[in-house]
Amino acid sequence: MPNRTNPIEENQTLEEIRYRELFRVTEKFHSSMDINIVLAEIIQTLKRVFPTYDYFLLLSNDHDASEDLPIKNLEYNSENVSAIASYVNAAVELEESEYPVMYAPLKGKQGVYGVLQVKSHLTFPLENSQIDFIRLLANTAGNALENAKLYQQSQKLVEDLRLIDEVSQKLNSTSSLSKTMNYLHNQIKKSFHASAIGFIILGGEEPRVLEGSSNYFEGEDGKKLIQAVLERIENNNDSLFMGEIKQMPVCVQSKYGSLMAVPMIHSNAVNGIAIVLGDKPYSFSFEKFKLLQSLIQRSSLAVANLMLREKLEKMVITDQLTQLYARNYLNDMIEKSMQTDRGGTFILIDLDDFKEINDTYGHQTGDLVLIQVANLIKGCLRPTDIGARWGGEELAVYLPGVPIDKGASIAERLLNHVSQQTRPAVTMSCGVSNWDSRQPDEVTQLFSRADAALYEAKNAGKNQVAVKEI
């Protein structure tokens, strides 16, 4: 007769297998600080011990587990009452149905990190030994998950502190506002995987979008978003954290899914605001939000100092009345252009009979006319062109890389704008000259030729353009 295994011996063998697996998986847990390895080991152990059962890991939304694992989100509004009860009460729950289901909390010393769901394919209840094994496995896994999460959090904290320190050092070591904001943009984009980043400065008539911001904030939709954010923070100066942008303008909702906004505070006043947008809802965790707050708080002083420095530097190179550049700055820029460009055109401008404006209307009106002319000049120039106050009622324009025929056309256009759009009306005369890298030349000679051309325009009846080519 064949040997038959004693039922007690068989039960002891199963017990030995289970506890051997429990010992093995415990050793595995202790040797790893990877959450995915811990979760995978839970499933693999159950498959070895209960190969015919079904298993799911019910985890909260803040997990970053692999998609290959049988994971479901644990929702508080879920209809699975037993799973929620197991999570909230940190206790095993048994669901008596046609096929028994057990819920065991993944519990550590500091909290519960999820629930292990085990479903039998047999119609009779789970044995006490099976329940004990699953509970012990879940408890062991809960402690391992807690250790892995704490380790990851500590590593993340070190990375965050390193990022804040690195950014602070970089911001305090640079003297360029544009370089600073571009650096800050790149760091935020890399660390937060942001879709759009805006740095907005307050204090003027309208919010100013700093260089280093995404193009989105320069458009109409971006301006609407800025206004909506400012309306929300103006009363309490608190930061905004929106997992879903349902309360923002529709144009924003259609393009982005989540938002973080942090005021830039200096000397107990809000000087600006940093806005970070994600393309999908819940793009940012609350930990990322707190990191952004720390980053902007550390950056605000450096940005404020750089803006003050930029303002002081601009005052040095800017004529205070017309807000055109000062003559010294114009001279320096032309000298640099002569070293790097192939050519350029210089326009020397003199307002005709300006003394009569002052005598008739007063010097205050004369100043207003100068400001009008300066604004018309600025409206006709490219960002690379330079408009300057030469002295008194004389102004100047330098057009790098522009040939003299085109420069003369620009002078004619300026002439027409000034005669048609100033109040009280004033005319001007222009002397135009140029330089060419193929011929030796100096800044003083360029000025001398333009001055001679201006003299010709004056003698020819004023309100006209005269050209003296090199």
Side-chain angles (χ1 to χ4, degrees):
M1 294 180 63
N3 292 332
R4 293 186 177 276
T5 305
N6 188 302
I8 297 177
E9 292 179 356
E10 184 177 353
N11 287 339
Q12 289 176 343
T13 303
L14 287 175
E15 287 295 309
E16 289 175 1
I17 291 173
R18 288 170 185 165
Y19 282 101
R20 195 181 299 118
E21 280 295 321
L22 193 60
F23 180 77
R24 184 198 62 78
V25 78
T26 302
E27 282 192 323
K28 186 74 173 180
F29 288 160
H30 287 162
S31 66
S32 175
M33 288 295 176
D34 188 308
I35 291 176
N36 279 327
I37 290 177
V38 172
L39 296 176
E41 279 298 324
I42 298 172
I43 301 302
Q44 292 302 320
T45 301
L46 287 169
K47 284 183 177 179
R48 281 192 287 268
V49 177
F50 306 113
T52 61
Y53 290 5
D54 289 334
Y55 329 98
F56 283 100
L57 294 162
L58 309 179
L59 305 178
S60 54
N61 285 328
D62 62 350
H63 68 80
D64 295 314
S66 170
E67 296 179 357
D68 297 332
L69 297 173
I71 292 173
K72 294 180 181 179
N73 285 335
L74 184 63
E75 305 288 352
Y76 283 102
N77 58 357
S78 170
E79 296 179 358
N80 194 334
V81 177
S82 298
I84 296 300
S86 176
Y87 182 79
V88 172
N89 300 324
V92 169
E93 293 286 334
L94 295 173
E95 197 173 85
E96 298 298 336
S97 57
E98 182 180 359
Y99 300 104
V101 182
M102 175 177 172
Y103 298 92
L106 301 170
K107 180 174 61 175
K109 292 183 176 64
Q110 298 184 11
V112 178
Y113 301 94
V115 174
L116 172 62
Q117 179 189 45
V118 179
K119 184 176 182 180
S120 171
H121 282 203
L122 302 176
T123 54
F124 47 82
L126 293 171
E127 299 174 4
N128 289 335
S129 60
Q130 294 175 315
I131 294 172
D132 288 341
F133 174 81
I134 295 170
R135 182 177 60 249
L136 285 171
L137 176 63
N139 286 342
T140 306
N143 283 305
L145 274 178
E146 184 172 80
N147 291 335
K149 281 181 174 289
L150 289 173
Y151 175 76
Q152 289 189 358
Q153 288 172 5
S154 66
Q155 290 296 103
K156 189 68 181 67
L157 180 59
V158 170
E159 290 177 10
D160 292 348
L161 291 173
R162 188 181 294 121
L163 172 65
I164 292 171
D165 183 59
E166 178 185 330
V167 169
S168 298
Q169 289 186 25
K170 181 70 175 180
L171 296 185
N172 291 324
S173 65
T174 182
S175 59
S176 168
L177 181 62
S178 61
K179 288 182 180 178
T180 295
M181 302 318 297
N182 280 312
Y183 170 80
L184 194 56
H185 175 106
N186 292 334
Q187 290 299 315
I188 292 175
K189 185 173 183 179
K190 181 172 68 174
S191 300
F192 297 84
H193 305 292
S195 299
I197 302 164
F199 304 107
I200 294 86
I201 295 300
L202 310 177
E205 294 182 2
E206 292 185 359
R208 171 190 170 194
V209 179
L210 286 181
E211 185 176 346
S213 301
S214 303
N215 293 334
Y216 172 77
F217 292 94
E218 298 285 1
E220 287 302 316
D221 289 352
K223 291 177 181 177
K224 290 178 182 178
L225 172 61
I226 292 170
Q227 193 57 44
V229 169
L230 290 175
E231 288 174 0
R232 288 179 174 273
I233 70 167
E234 63 182 357
N235 294 328
N236 50 24
N237 297 337
D238 284 343
S239 302
L240 289 181
F241 179 52
M242 294 185 177
E244 292 183 288
I245 318 184
K246 291 183 177 179
Q247 298 171 327
M248 288 286 109
V250 175
C251 60
V252 181
Q253 296 181 37
S254 63
K255 191 171 181 65
Y256 297 103
S258 47
L259 174 148
M260 298 186 291
V262 179
M264 303 171 72
I265 299 175
H266 177 58
S267 299
N268 297 321
V270 176
N271 296 331
I273 187 167
I275 302 175
V276 179
L277 299 172
D279 57 348
K280 297 178 181 178
Y282 305 103
S283 296
F284 313 114
S285 66
F286 188 71
E287 286 73 20
K288 287 292 185 184
F289 172 58
K290 301 301 289 184
L291 173 60
L292 181 67
Q293 285 182 303
S294 298
L295 201 58
I296 298 304
Q297 183 181 4
R298 290 290 192 92
S299 306
S300 295
L301 177 60
V303 172
N305 288 338
L306 286 170
M307 289 187 64
L308 178 59
R309 177 173 179 164
E310 183 185 68
K311 185 177 181 179
L312 292 173
E313 289 177 345
K314 186 177 180 181
M315 287 176 64
V316 171
I317 64 173
T318 304
D319 175 66
Q320 296 308 299
L321 176 65
T322 62
Q323 292 300 298
L324 294 171
Y325 286 109
R327 181 170 175 174
N328 288 342
Y329 179 79
L330 174 71
N331 294 355
D332 293 342
M333 291 301 101
I334 295 177
E335 286 183 357
K336 288 182 180 179
S337 176
M338 283 185 163
Q339 296 171 6
T340 57
D341 295 326
R342 294 183 177 181
T345 294
F346 177 69
I347 306 171
L348 188 58
I349 300 167
D350 184 73
L351 299 186
D352 299 327
D353 304 316
F354 190 69
K355 184 177 182 301
E356 294 182 6
I357 295 289
N358 284 331
D359 292 343
T360 304
Y361 301 99
H363 287 278
Q364 185 174 0
T365 299
D367 287 347
L368 293 175
V369 169
L370 271 173
I371 294 170
Q372 290 179 55
V373 174
N375 289 336
L376 289 170
I377 288 174
K378 285 185 281 189
C380 291
L381 301 184
R382 305 169 301 175
T384 53
D385 298 334
I386 300 169
R389 188 175 185 185
W390 190 256
E393 69 270 21
E394 286 189 321
L395 309 173
V397 171
Y398 178 62
L399 310 168
V402 173
I404 194 165
D405 55 342
K406 187 174 180 181
S409 298
I410 292 172
E412 291 283 359
R413 186 163 72 246
L414 285 172
L415 196 82
N416 292 330
H417 285 336
V418 168
S419 63
Q420 295 169 11
Q421 299 182 36
T422 50
R423 296 291 181 273
V426 67
T427 63
M428 68 183 192
S429 301
C430 300
V432 183
S433 187
N434 71 314
W435 67 273
D436 192 306
S437 61
R438 293 170 293 184
Q439 300 182 50
D441 203 358
E442 293 182 4
V443 174
T444 54
Q445 293 175 337
L446 175 67
F447 293 164
S448 179
R449 290 193 299 273
D451 189 53
L454 177 61
Y455 183 77
E456 290 180 6
K458 288 285 189 181
N459 285 340
K462 304 177 184 178
N463 192 28
Q464 57 187 282
V465 174
V467 176
K468 189 170 282 293
E469 194 170 354
I470 186 173

